[in-house]
């Protein structure tokens, strides 16, 4: 574990000590209620991450004024009425040993009036494509100097409110095309006054907010989150973004958080939240560049979910604190596990979480059905002292085995010669969900899940079907054998994938269609578990569970959810939060 050690050394931000160099970055969950109040689900979600060992929990983006509210069920901080809930949230995070921050972020032109109830405001009246449940082109109102002052005041008031709620620090959202970032990008800021034109002028709005908070809310550390590069013509360039980060240190930022990307990024907005085909540690060199130029701690983000990679980034001096966004959605216990050298449940970088959330749903995850439903599984536990045979080492079988490993005698049998099932093939498909598929992400997920099972004492047998002897004496057989293709496609589709033929020519064009993908992955497949279960040579009294055989056979998220539900017997009514 020595080589990972630096990641778990404490660090201070603005005099506040974090127990290690990991943080949960701001990620919208939609777990607040319709009015923006903290709910039991909000508390349970953040408690799980704090209990998982992270040093700093950044609570999701909350707008300092209602005009900046950009999502339904967005957490509120623009009024004192939110204070009681925010206080409970801070207490919950503190009780679990983490520090608490909250991101102050204003949607600007990306705050639909359907959400905020008012006309969006922005540096300039530049029509802006917005997607929040529905798509629209919003035309914001250009902010007058007086309106700018009003918004800056609102930021200061929100920061003071955060301090009253007990937050250890706040973060200013200066990235991704929200208000501060809109001021920074020449395409979205065409002003001719002191807030537009030169970089110094475009940076004025964000830095003014920072300076005012530092002088008017004493004792509250501020992290400045800067999207250093926008990736579109007329967007902020990397040299400019780095310069703004340096100015933020000059103007009092206690740490600089380095990210990149914007809703207008080319080839796509996904660059903000890089999916699986992007290189791991996507933005680390931006952080390294910033680190050479500033003395305050630098926070890096973007596909740092491999614990060795995260630790190396710290050890190599590329950044001081590792932000783990999707990795902590996929496994809230990433930090304690990585510290112990244990495998973590690896995020696929499939971006279901963000795509689904932007479409209106609460935060959820393909590989971790407990995300956003922490209370549903609260206090539940797996059966004990049973002899369990799991048939199938795909994502559902492995998830189930990993969850029941402790306290049971578990064997996984798969007729293939290794774990992963059809899920490995998914890495060879052109797309998974709405992102380009990449094999290593599936390999890492399956590999680490199998390793977790083995460490938990699970035995594996590959290369042959289960026999009566294998099942003799079993208390429970969990059938997780995945799905078969109908109409003889079982021979065709895997060959298309294995030969990479699906990634070129007409086949690639076909796979580009979500409808075709849906048919090929799910609609043309049928669960095979129930039929197999009927044929198994079982002794009387052996319980049988069929996992992942639901209507949408072959769909990883549903299959993994069925494994969690079978292992942990979720509550029909979520547990109340104490
Ligand atoms: C569901 C979701 C919601 C997000 N919401 C925010 C947000 O409100 N503010 C923000 O600055 N970044 C947001 N992000 C971006 C993350 O903070 C992070 O920069 C990004 O996910 C890349 O890091 P990762 O590879 O560790 O996930 C969001 C990401 C996800 C997946
Ligand atoms: S939904 Fe996909 S990208 Fe999001 S956290 Fe889960 S595995 Fe990672």
């Amino acid at each position: 574990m020595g080589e990972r050690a630096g990641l778990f050394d404490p660090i201070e931000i603005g005099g506040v000590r974090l127990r290690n160099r990991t943080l949960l970055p701001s990620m919208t969950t939609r777990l607040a209620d319709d009015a923006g109040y903290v709910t039991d689900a909000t508390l349970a979600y953040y408690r799980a991450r704090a209990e998982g060992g992270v040093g700093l929990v950044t609570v999701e983006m909350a707008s300092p004024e209602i005009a900046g509210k950009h999502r339904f069920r967005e957490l509120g901080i623009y009024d004192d009425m939110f204070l009681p809930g925010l206080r409970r949230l801070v207490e919950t995070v503190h009780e679990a040993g983490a520090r608490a921050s909250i991101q102050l972020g204003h949607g600007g032109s990306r705050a639909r009036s359907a959400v905020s109830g008012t006309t969006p405001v922005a540096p300039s009246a530049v029509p802006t494509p917005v997607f929040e449940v529905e798509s629209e082109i919003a035309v914001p109102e250009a902010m007058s100097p007086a309106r700018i002052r009003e918004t800056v005041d609102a930021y200061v008031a929100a920061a003071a409110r955060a301090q009253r709620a007990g937050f250890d620090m706040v973060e200013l959202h200066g990235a991704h095309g929200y208000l501060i970032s809109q001021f920074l990008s020449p395409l979205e800021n065409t002003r001719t006054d002191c807030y537009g034109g030169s970089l110094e002028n475009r940076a004025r709005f964000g830095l003014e907010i920072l300076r005012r908070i530092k002088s008017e809310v004493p004792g509250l550390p501020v992290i400045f989150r800067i999207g250093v590069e926008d990736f579109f013509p007329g967007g902020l360039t990397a040299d400019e973004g780095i310069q703004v980060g340096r100015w933020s240190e000059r103007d009092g930022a206690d740490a600089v958080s380095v990210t990149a990307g914007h809703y207008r990024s080319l080839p796509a907005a996904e660059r903000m939240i890089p999916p699986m085909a992007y290189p791991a540690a996507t933005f680390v060199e931006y952080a390294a560049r910033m680190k050479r130029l500033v003395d305050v701690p630098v926070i890096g983000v973007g596909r740092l979910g491999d614990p060795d990679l995260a630790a190396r980034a710290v050890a190599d001096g590329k950044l001081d604190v590792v932000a783990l966004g999707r990795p902590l959605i996929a496994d809230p216990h990433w930090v304690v596990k990585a510290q112990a050298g244990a495998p973590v449940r690896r995020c696929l970088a499939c971006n279901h979480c963000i795509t689904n959330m932007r479409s209106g749903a609460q935060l959820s995850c393909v590989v971790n059905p407990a995300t956003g439903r922490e209370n549903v599984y609260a206090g539940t536990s797996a059966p004990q002292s049973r002899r369990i045979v799991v048939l199938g080492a795909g994502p559902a079988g492995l998830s189930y085995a990993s969850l029941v490993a402790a306290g049971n005698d578990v064997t996984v049998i798969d007729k293939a010669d290794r774990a992963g099932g059809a899920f490995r093939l998914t890495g060879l498909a052109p797309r998974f969900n709405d992102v380009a598929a990449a094999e290593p992400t599936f390999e890492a997920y399956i590999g680490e899940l199998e390793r977790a099972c083995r460490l938990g004492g699970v035995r594996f047998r590959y290369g042959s079907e289960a026999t009566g002897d294998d099942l003799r004496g079993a208390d429970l057989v969990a059938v997780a054998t995945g799905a078969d293709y109908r109409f003889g496609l079982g021979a065709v589709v895997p060959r298309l994938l294995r030969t990479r033929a699906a990634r070129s020519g007409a086949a690639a064009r076909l796979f580009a269609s979500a409808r075709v993908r849906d048919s090929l992955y799910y609609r043309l497949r049928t669960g095979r578990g129930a039929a197999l279960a009927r044929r198994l040579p079982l002794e009387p009294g052996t319980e049988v569970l069929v996992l992942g055989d639901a209507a949408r056979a072959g769909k990883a998220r549903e299959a993994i959810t069925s494994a969690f539900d079978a292992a942990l017997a979720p509550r029909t009514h979520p547990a109340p939060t104490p």
Side-chain angles (χ1 to χ4, degrees), residues 326 329-330 346-353 364-367:
R326 292 164 295 171
I329 293 179
R346 294 286 291 272
C347 159
L348 301 170
C350 68
N351 281 11
H352 155 89
C353 46
S364 62
C365 172
V366 168
V367 300

Side-chain angles (χ1 to χ4, degrees), residues 25-28 61 103 171 173 176 225 259 272-274 301-304 323-327 329 353-354 357 363:
S26 167
M27 290 184 291
T28 300
M61 173 169 169
Q103 185 181 58
E171 175 174 281
H173 195 347
H176 301 161
R225 187 170 220 206
T259 182
M272 286 183 267
I273 302 171
V301 76
R303 301 212 55 212
L304 287 162
L324 300 160
R326 292 164 295 171
I329 293 179
C353 46
I354 185 74
M357 187 278 288
L363 189 64

Side-chain angles (χ1 to χ4, degrees), residues 3 74 77 82 163 204 209 220 231 233 240 257 279 282 302 309 330 341 427 437 446 473 517 524:
E3 63 279 9
E74 178 175 303
I77 197 170
F82 297 113
Q163 191 180 46
R204 191 178 305 281
I209 295 168
L220 182 71
F231 306 119
E240 290 179 322
S257 175
T282 322
L309 191 68
I446 290 292
R517 282 201 312 276
L524 293 171

Side-chain angles (χ1 to χ4, degrees), residues 289-311:
R289 210 175 139 195
M290 188 73 80
K291 186 151 167 55
R292 289 193 289 274
L293 297 168
V294 300
D295 291 325
V296 291
V298 169
I299 298 160
V301 76
R303 301 212 55 212
L304 287 162
D306 172 348
D308 289 326
L309 191 68

Side-chain angles (χ1 to χ4, degrees), residues 2-24:
E3 63 279 9
R4 287 188 189 168
L7 183 59
F8 305 104
D9 286 347
I11 187 170
E12 283 193 3
I13 292 182
V16 174
R17 188 173 189 270
L18 313 189
R19 59 185 164 183
N20 57 48
R21 288 155 183 261
T22 62
L23 71 76
L24 176 76

